[in-house]
Amino acid sequence: QVQLVESGGGLVQPGGSLRLSCAASGSIGSIYSMAWYRQAPGRQRELVGRIASGGSTNYADSVKGRFTISRDNAKKTVFLQMNSLKPEDTAIYYCNLWTHGNMYWGQGTQVIVSS
């Protein structure tokens, strides 16, 4: 079965950095895109960033210039480098895998930005 394993979440001070990783395994077909979403308390789940065919990327306005999404195709792994973190970035971050036939979600990893 398809599984997405996330790592890198935790507690960090404002202005600090974290890097999230998500490795996909199992019977996965052709990958269309990989992405990170987040859900903050009282908020809907929102797209943070995604990386698609050819390495093209897009980001939420709130994280542009601070977050960078990247991938390692051989390892089927997507990363999210988060810099200049703000308390508003506190959320559960979810890895997302999109293929032509299916969509998969990780279980989420907690990111807390607080002094």
Side-chain angles (χ1 to χ4, degrees):
Q1 196 70 21
V2 174
Q3 185 175 13
L4 303 179
V5 180
E6 300 163 328
S7 63
L11 175 65
V12 66
Q13 293 181 322
S17 298
L18 285 174
R19 190 178 77 152
L20 306 183
S21 299
C22 174
S25 63
S27 301
I28 303 173
S30 180
I31 297 176
Y32 181 76
S33 68
M34 301 185 78
W36 288 96
Y37 288 72
R38 68 184 181 186
Q39 188 165 22
R43 303 276 91 82
Q44 286 189 262
R45 189 174 300 186
E46 65 174 349
L47 175 67
V48 177
R50 68 187 293 271
I51 184 164
S53 300
S56 62
T57 59
N58 63 282
Y59 301 92
D61 288 340
S62 59
V63 307
K64 287 181 179 178
R66 300 188 298 120
F67 291 11
T68 303
I69 191 169
S70 61
R71 67 184 178 188
D72 184 329
N73 289 334
K75 298 180 180 179
K76 297 182 179 179
T77 301
V78 63
F79 307 94
L80 184 68
Q81 179 67 46
M82 305 185 293
N83 299 325
S84 301
L85 283 162
K86 305 175 181 179
E88 306 94 272
D89 296 317
T90 296
I92 300 175
Y93 285 71
Y94 297 91
C95 178
N96 171 266
L97 172 66
W98 195 1
T99 71
H100 292 305
N102 294 285
M103 181 189 293
Y104 306 95
W105 291 98
Q107 292 186 330
T109 184
Q110 180 80 62
V111 172
I112 300 175
V113 184
S114 176
S115 59

